[in-house]
Amino acid sequence: MSPADRCVVWLAGALADPADASVHWSDHGLTVGDGVFETIELRRGAPFALRRHLERLERSAQGLGLEPPDPAELSRAVAEVAAAWGEEPGRLRITYTAGPGPMGSNRGTAAPTLLLAAAPMRVLTEPTDVLVVPFTRNERGALAGLKTTSYGENVVALALANEAGCSEALFANTRDELCEGTGSNVVVGLDGTLVTPPLASGCLAGVTRALLLEALKAAGTPAAEATVPMSRLD
């Protein structure tokens, strides 16, 4: 296995062979997107900002009506995957679903599925083009602000951006206000001030977003959380 293809998988309570690890065919995370997830940077063998990510995972699960994963089991799983991954830069993804269920939106009675995986990651720092897509985020929707596995809108938007030679797509909300990207929060410079949409816009409460706001405030150059009409991006 090349370094680019390397991965570590944890499933059903233990580390698993990535070639054999699988979930049930009726798992609701697969069939209807009934699950939540977090992606965490692995720095020198340690998950970065782990507490914040686990707190958001719990909020997302509760928002979806799922009982959050057992903290002790989750902590053990994270530690085992991080140790198996080692010191190389990487990313850790935690996926938590409603588990096997009926072929429909109703949930079954099976136990939830907890799946962790680590793989390589490259942090992008070079400038890039972005595309404003014609689709909107619903700031009043049931999934607003939750990090769920229902990522179909993001897949379509990012594919459209890639076709246009861009590496990220930007969504407005239903009020034609700037919301977020497919996998990123957005900060824009307006009239000499850094501005990021408020959580009421429907955007995800990003961990990096929170850390950046705290760092800017500590440095004496705070960013504003304010509504940004899409027309301001012109």
Side-chain angles (χ1 to χ4, degrees):
M1 180 180 294
S2 69
D5 296 328
R6 183 188 170 216
C7 62
V8 173
V9 173
W10 189 100
L11 180 65
L15 293 173
D17 184 342
D20 297 328
S22 62
V23 298
H24 194 271
W25 63 266
S26 70
D27 192 286
H28 258 212
L30 172 67
T31 58
V32 295
D34 188 10
V36 298
F37 76 100
E38 286 290 322
T39 303
I40 308 168
E41 183 182 359
L42 290 170
R43 293 185 177 180
R44 296 177 293 279
F48 178 69
L50 178 61
R51 175 183 58 81
R52 294 175 187 254
H53 281 284
L54 295 187
E55 288 175 350
R56 188 173 63 183
L57 182 74
E58 182 174 340
R59 292 196 303 271
S60 294
Q62 291 173 337
L64 206 57
L66 295 174
E67 184 70 25
D70 177 67
E73 181 183 34
L74 183 54
S75 295
R76 177 174 63 84
V78 168
E80 290 180 3
V81 172
W85 180 256
E87 297 288 318
E88 294 298 315
R91 73 175 73 193
L92 167 67
R93 171 164 168 145
I94 304 170
T95 305
Y96 183 69
T97 80
M103 287 194 290
S105 297
N106 288 326
R107 288 179 178 147
T109 58
T113 298
L114 179 61
L115 166 67
L116 282 74
M121 181 177 75
R122 183 170 68 94
V123 178
L124 303 177
T125 58
E126 59 269 19
T128 182
D129 290 325
V130 297
L131 177 72
V132 176
V133 293
F135 327 117
T136 58
R137 284 284 198 247
N138 182 1
E139 70 282 359
R140 296 177 297 172
L143 304 185
L146 305 181
K147 196 170 180 70
T148 77
T149 57
S150 298
Y151 252 45
E153 287 186 348
N154 292 15
V155 171
V156 173
L158 190 56
L160 189 63
N162 291 161
E163 291 174 3
C166 303
S167 69
E168 177 60 303
L170 299 184
F171 290 98
N173 61 21
T174 64
R175 300 187 295 254
D176 204 31
E177 301 162 349
L178 179 62
C179 185
E180 62 184 351
T182 66
S184 57
N185 289 114
V186 184
V187 180
V188 296
L190 298 175
D191 302 324
T193 301
L194 293 176
V195 181
T196 192
L199 299 183
S201 70
C203 69
L204 184 70
V207 170
T208 300
R209 175 185 182 277
L211 292 171
L212 179 61
L213 290 175
E214 292 172 11
L216 289 170
K217 182 177 180 180
T221 55
E225 292 183 77
T227 297
V228 180
M230 293 302 289
S231 59
R232 290 298 307 275
L233 299 187
D234 293 340

